[in-house]
Amino acid sequence: MKDISVQELINSKEFIPVDVRAPIEHRDSAIPGSVNIPLFTDEEREEIGTIFKRSGEEVAKWRAMEIVSPKLPHLLGEIKDLKMTGAEPVIHCWRGGMRSRSVASFLEYAGIPALRLAGGYKAYREYILERIPQLLPEKAIVLHGMTGTGKTDLLQALQEKGYPVVDLEKMANHRGSIFGMIGKGEAHNQKTFDALLFDRLNEIKGSTYFIIEAESKRIGRAAQPEEMLRKKLNGIHYLVKSSIPERVDRIYNEYVHPFIGQAWFEEEVAEKVTKLIRRINHEISPSLAIALEEKNYKNLIEILLVHYYDPRYNHALLEYKGPFTEIDADDPNVIKNIEKEIKKTLSGLTAV
């Protein structure tokens, strides 16, 4: 049995992390790309924990052995199959304790050389939290723009072209608004967000700048690191602009069109709009209620943009000091135009 460090795991493409914790633990906090081959199910983990509290360590260990023994051939076979693909499995649990040590020992007894992650997932998390601020490139190019101006589309197009984009909404699995979860599934928690952010920063390591959207500190269930917020405030700012009709169409096509007519969608929109009606200008509440009742979603979107989102965004924009380079999102050549601005920005940075 050999232990490897977190840095060795991250720096090698040969290794594949094998998480032997229960599925509930893996869902809550996983190393990206890891495979969950659990020693215990969620229910078995809970049972052993209860026995430990009531009857002590010795009784809990015995029960754990009774549960694991029949599973061993299948469990070890899964890890062996991974090894046959050419990858090098690295066993880990929460902090490199009994579970990963047991599995690694079983592998050794079966004649399969075993690698184990020193310190387990806990060591991995400590490592990435320390490294994230250090990996952030020096300068931020920040895309501002009101809801529906297509900032996410611009980021995705730029990333496909090889630019050092950091897509925070993708990492959070949330669009950053009250409607941000529609069609997205569950938002990522802080641990998952941090892991994906670390991976992306590691990918763009060596770049002198990064491109990012001007999100608020919290996106769904996750918050951005303070150093990133500082770099954004002191970054180079682009303001993406678009007409109301184009913005309405973008939002409709992303949030509404794929789910139109589905009961869950109508219920979710009704619930969220009803909450908004309670907190916004009462003069527009009747118009919102009518648009919702008639399922006139384009009208609903326009009312929310003009009377709710735009005023809030204008206020948030005051946090940043200009100048702001304007980008016309409705121009068919918007990607070429923004690339020209980036080149101009980079030449300016080089000249400083």
Side-chain angles (χ1 to χ4, degrees):
M1 184 190 309
K2 178 186 175 186
D3 282 5
I4 67 165
S5 68
V6 172
Q7 190 167 357
E8 287 176 292
L9 173 70
I10 289 166
N11 290 344
S12 173
K13 294 181 179 178
E14 296 177 13
F15 298 137
I16 181 166
V18 174
D19 188 347
V20 297
R21 296 176 299 159
I24 192 171
E25 296 174 276
H26 182 76
R27 286 193 298 271
D28 176 69
S29 53
I31 299 173
S34 61
V35 176
N36 187 211
I37 303 178
L39 204 53
F40 306 110
T41 65
D42 296 338
E43 294 74 21
E44 289 164 349
R45 172 178 172 266
E46 187 176 352
E47 178 191 348
I48 292 165
T50 301
I51 292 171
F52 181 86
K53 289 175 185 175
R54 290 178 180 172
S55 306
E57 183 178 359
E58 186 176 337
V59 179
K61 282 183 176 179
W62 187 264
R63 178 58 184 145
M65 183 188 68
E66 289 178 330
I67 291 170
V68 169
S69 296
K71 299 181 182 182
L72 279 178
H74 178 72
L75 188 147
L76 298 183
E78 284 192 82
I79 298 173
K80 186 179 180 181
D81 289 344
L82 279 178
K83 203 174 178 71
M84 295 294 286
T85 66
E88 202 57 64
V90 178
I91 313 301
H92 76 275
C93 55
W94 167 241
R95 56 183 178 188
M98 188 177 299
R99 286 179 289 181
S100 62
R101 192 181 307 117
S102 298
V103 173
S105 297
F106 292 140
L107 285 168
E108 293 281 345
Y109 294 148
I112 304 169
L115 294 176
R116 203 168 65 112
L117 181 62
Y121 177 83
K122 186 171 183 284
Y124 165 81
R125 177 146 178 82
E126 289 171 353
Y127 178 87
I128 66 167
L129 290 180
E130 181 183 345
R131 290 285 293 149
I132 283 171
Q134 300 167 11
L135 283 171
L136 280 167
E138 186 56 35
K139 207 67 181 173
I141 294 177
V142 187
L143 296 193
H144 301 263
M146 293 180 180
T147 304
T149 52
K151 302 182 294 296
T152 300
D153 294 339
L154 292 178
L155 289 175
Q156 289 173 352
L158 291 170
Q159 183 163 338
E160 286 171 9
K161 284 174 165 283
Y163 286 90
V165 168
V166 176
D167 189 344
L168 297 176
E169 289 187 357
K170 184 177 180 181
M171 292 164 190
N173 198 39
H174 196 284
R175 299 187 190 91
S177 74
I178 192 170
F179 298 98
M181 285 309 300
I182 290 179
K184 299 287 281 185
E186 189 177 357
H188 292 157
N189 64 17
Q190 189 68 51
K191 292 170 186 172
T192 301
F193 175 83
D194 291 335
L196 295 173
L197 176 58
F198 170 80
D199 268 14
R200 181 56 181 156
L201 292 177
N202 208 36
E203 285 174 358
I204 65 171
K205 185 168 57 179
S207 174
T208 56
Y209 72 102
F210 63 106
I211 305 171
I212 196 165
E213 188 176 340
E215 300 279 1
S216 55
K217 179 175 181 176
R218 180 162 288 278
I219 312 167
R221 297 169 63 195
Q224 299 172 53
E226 291 297 330
E227 180 64 11
M228 176 174 278
L229 293 170
R230 186 188 71 78
K231 286 183 183 278
K232 284 166 66 177
L233 280 173
N234 297 315
I236 295 159
H237 305 292
Y238 295 177
L239 182 58
V240 182
K241 291 196 165 186
S242 176
S243 68
I244 290 287
E246 288 290 337
R247 291 166 62 198
V248 169
D249 283 347
R250 282 194 194 93
I251 294 169
Y252 182 87
N253 289 334
E254 181 177 359
Y255 287 77
V256 180
H257 185 263
F259 317 111
I260 201 76
Q262 297 183 36
W264 69 265
F265 169 77
E266 294 175 359
E267 289 171 9
E268 192 166 339
V269 171
E271 177 195 347
K272 294 184 185 307
V273 171
T274 302
K275 285 181 181 177
L276 277 177
I277 285 173
R278 296 193 196 109
R279 70 167 84 154
I280 62 177
N281 185 342
H282 292 296
E283 292 179 8
I284 64 162
S285 296
S287 301
L288 272 178
I290 291 168
L292 180 62
E293 186 180 352
E294 295 177 348
K295 298 177 184 176
N296 187 342
Y297 293 116
K298 286 199 172 184
N299 189 33
L300 181 70
I301 292 165
E302 183 168 345
I303 294 169
L304 287 173
L305 286 180
V306 174
H307 297 283
Y308 180 72
Y309 283 107
D310 288 4
R312 286 165 62 90
Y313 197 89
N314 281 328
H315 180 74
L317 202 60
L318 297 175
E319 296 177 16
Y320 294 87
K321 297 176 182 177
F324 292 87
T325 299
E326 291 191 3
I327 304 292
D328 181 5
D330 300 342
D331 187 326
N333 297 312
V334 60
I335 298 298
K336 288 182 181 178
N337 295 340
I338 200 168
E339 285 188 280
K340 287 178 187 175
E341 290 298 337
I342 291 170
K343 287 175 184 175
K344 197 185 300 181
T345 295
L346 296 180
S347 64
L349 289 175
T350 306
V352 173

